[in-house]
Structures are given as structure tokens and as C-alpha cells.
Amino acid sequence: FHFVAGLGTGIISASLLQPVDLLKTRVQQAHSTSLLHTFRDITRGPNSLRQLWRGTLPSVIRTGFGSALYFSTLNALRQHVFRSNLLTSTGVVSMSRNGARSTSSSSLPQLSNLANLTTGAIARASAGLIMMPATVIKVRYESSLYSYQSLMGAASAIFKREGVKGFFAGFGATALRDAPYAGIYVLFYEQSKRHLSRVKDATAGGDALLKDMRSGSALSINFVSGVLAAGLATAITNPFDAVKTRLQLMPGKYTNMVQASRQMVREEGFRSLLDGLALRAGRKALSSALAWTVYEELVRRAETKSAETEGAP
């Protein structure tokens, strides 16, 4: 179930937000290119609307299956950590299920800060490694430096020119972007939900809040928490994203993460590591908030239906 829920949310977010991803890649491939200039170049050409969605298929494959792997792995890790009482140095908060009264908007196991950080990082790094070939093809599709006409053509061209290693270009920077991002995101997402639920608890009666949490209130709390957590995690990890894009687009010029970051700073200044930050923050805020809100709601409804089925005579 968690695999299917993650797949669905990933496909939806990738399809809707592909133009933002494409613009981010174009801005990051050349520091001298501004967002407005990039947008004008794309829209002035033929089939401008279609060009904004260039690379949607590899993006859907990468984000859809990547989200499916991430959410299913994360769920398995969180369930294991909760049941085995691992990573409890800061104290595990009890799961709000099985009749326990809770005013949290979360439908997931509530773990310690260390557990949230660790499980998020491990799940994202694992999914990122498996989906790395799709990530490389996606980025090159979005770039103006390559003119691939099909997924098979792109895969064939990369293999002939760079071998198997080409499909994992920039993995180090990707892992250093995705693992901290996911860990920080899950940590602050869970913290934000707890704090917002307490604020709402303070302004509403306990019984009224419990009823509210089963309706639309949980959705709004989860969505706002997702936006806040994504914004913070994106700002912290953006330099790795900028380096990753250069490594994947220009493997001949940039050979590894350290060399790439040094050369970017030397030639273009420190600001080159922040290229695409606004676009990435906006996209991540919307995609992560949408994915997690829909995912948690699907989990909540599935568990509610399961409980009603089990309780039926």
C-alpha cells in the first residue's frame, strides 16, 4: 500500500511541477543565465508550452518510483524503529493508535528526533541510489546541452560515451543532497506537526479537536508543516544540488564533487552554489507538502477502513 501511495503522489507532483524543475536545471547549467532570460528563451521558441514540460516522462519515472521506494522504505524503517525501541536517546513519543487518545495530525508512528532524522536520510539515500540512472537521464533531458529524442536513445548515448559509470554521475553530490534533505525534512515536518497541533489544541477543546483532526484540520496542518520543512531543508542542501547538476551535465569538465565545487566557486563565485535556490525551494515546498499530505491522508483512510472492517460483526 505504501508503495502505491508513494507512486501516485510522486507521479502527480512530477507532472504538475515539471516546468519548475526544467527551469531550475537550465539556470544551474550556466551561472550567467537568469531565470527571466531562461524563461523567455524557452517561450520564444516553437512549441513553447510543450518545451516547458520537456523531460516529463523520465521525471515521472524517477519521481514516481523514487517516491514509491522512499515511502515504502521509510515506513518499514519507522515501524521497525518503533517496535524495537531503537534510536531512543531523545525519547520515543508513543504511537497515537490502538485507542490511544491523541490530538496529533499525524497518522504515522511518532518517533524521536534522532529516529526521524536517521530513517529519513537512510530511506532517501537508498531510493536515490536505485533511481540514479533515471535521475541522470531526467536532468539531461531538461538541459539544453543535450537533444535526446527518446529514453532508449538517451540511455544508449550515455552508455556508449561514458559506460555504466555515466548513469551514476554525481551520485556523491546527490546522496549528500538527498540524505540530509530527507532527514532534515522528516525531523522538522514531524516537529512542526506537533507544535501546530498543540497550538490548535490550545485554541479548541480536546474532544472538538479530536473530531477536527479526523476531518480537514489534519490536512491543513500537514500541508503547512510540509511547506515549512521543505523550505528549510532545501536552503541547507542547495549547494549539493547545484554541484550535482554540473556533474551530471558536464562530466568532462567536472570530475568529482570536490573539484566541481572548487571550480564553480573559483570561476563564478560562491553564489553559483545557490543557483536555482528559489525555484528549487518553491518546487520542493509544493511537491513535498503535496506528496506527504496526500500520502498521510491515504494512510489515515486505509487504516480507518481497516479498523472499521475488523470491528464489524
Side-chain angles (χ1 to χ4, degrees):
F1 171 78
H2 292 271
F3 185 92
V4 174
L7 178 65
T9 57
I11 290 174
I12 292 171
S13 63
S15 301
L16 293 176
L17 301 173
Q18 177 58 22
V20 181
D21 229 12
L22 181 138
L23 287 169
K24 176 186 75 71
T25 298
R26 296 286 179 92
V27 168
Q28 288 182 334
Q29 77 179 26
H31 176 63
S32 58
T33 303
S34 67
L35 172 59
L36 183 58
H37 178 75
T38 301
F39 182 76
R40 284 175 176 172
D41 275 352
I42 296 172
T43 54
R44 282 173 181 169
N47 301 316
S48 57
L49 187 62
R50 184 179 177 183
Q51 286 300 312
L52 285 172
W53 265 268
R54 177 175 170 80
T56 299
L57 180 57
S59 184
V60 164
I61 292 173
R62 179 254 185 187
T63 305
F65 283 97
S67 295
L69 289 169
Y70 171 63
F71 279 118
S72 55
T73 303
L74 182 64
N75 175 67
L77 287 172
R78 288 172 67 88
Q79 294 288 352
H80 176 69
V81 167
F82 176 78
R83 289 167 182 161
S84 59
N85 245 6
L86 294 172
L87 302 173
T88 57
S89 60
T90 57
V92 174
V93 182
S94 296
M95 220 170 158
S96 55
R97 298 183 189 169
N98 302 323
R101 197 175 115 113
S102 171
T103 57
S104 171
S105 69
S106 181
S107 57
L108 305 175
Q110 297 179 36
L111 308 178
S112 69
N113 292 336
L114 177 60
N116 284 325
L117 183 69
T118 305
T119 55
I122 293 174
R124 177 56 70 187
S126 301
L129 175 61
I130 295 171
M131 299 306 300
M132 197 64 204
T135 301
V136 172
I137 293 175
K138 165 192 169 295
V139 170
R140 294 194 182 183
Y141 248 98
E142 293 169 349
S143 170
S144 61
L145 301 177
Y146 299 86
S147 55
Y148 299 136
Q149 299 302 314
S150 68
L151 289 180
M152 289 302 297
S156 178
I158 293 172
F159 182 75
K160 286 179 180 178
R161 187 172 181 178
E162 303 165 44
V164 175
K165 188 174 72 171
F167 292 106
F168 293 88
F171 174 68
T174 301
L176 288 175
R177 176 200 67 173
D178 288 352
Y181 173 86
I184 294 168
Y185 179 90
V186 174
L187 170 62
F188 283 100
Y189 177 68
E190 292 294 335
Q191 283 292 322
S192 179
K193 286 193 299 182
R194 291 174 194 171
H195 288 303
L196 290 177
S197 295
R198 287 170 188 161
V199 170
K200 192 164 184 63
D201 193 13
T203 58
D207 292 335
L209 180 60
L210 280 170
K211 183 179 179 180
D212 214 19
M213 283 299 176
R214 297 189 186 104
S215 58
S217 179
L219 289 174
S220 60
I221 288 177
N222 293 346
F223 189 85
V224 171
S225 298
V227 170
L228 295 175
L232 179 62
T234 299
I236 294 173
T237 60
N238 196 77
F240 298 112
D241 186 64
V243 172
K244 177 220 60 133
T245 300
R246 298 291 184 95
L247 286 168
Q248 292 175 340
L249 292 180
M250 293 169 267
K253 181 178 181 180
Y254 302 106
T255 57
N256 59 66
M257 184 179 64
V258 175
Q259 177 267 335
S261 57
R262 286 179 176 174
Q263 187 167 341
M264 287 170 64
V265 172
R266 183 173 63 251
E267 295 178 352
E268 305 167 23
F270 181 77
R271 287 185 61 185
S272 63
L273 298 177
L274 301 178
D275 283 344
L277 174 58
L279 283 168
R280 182 169 176 254
R283 183 199 178 283
K284 279 292 188 181
L286 289 174
S287 64
S288 295
L290 176 64
W292 275 84
T293 301
V294 173
Y295 170 72
E296 283 217 53
E297 184 62 18
L298 289 174
V299 171
R300 184 191 300 276
R301 293 190 179 191
E303 291 183 347
T304 300
K305 186 175 181 179
S306 176
E308 290 174 351
T309 302
E310 291 176 0

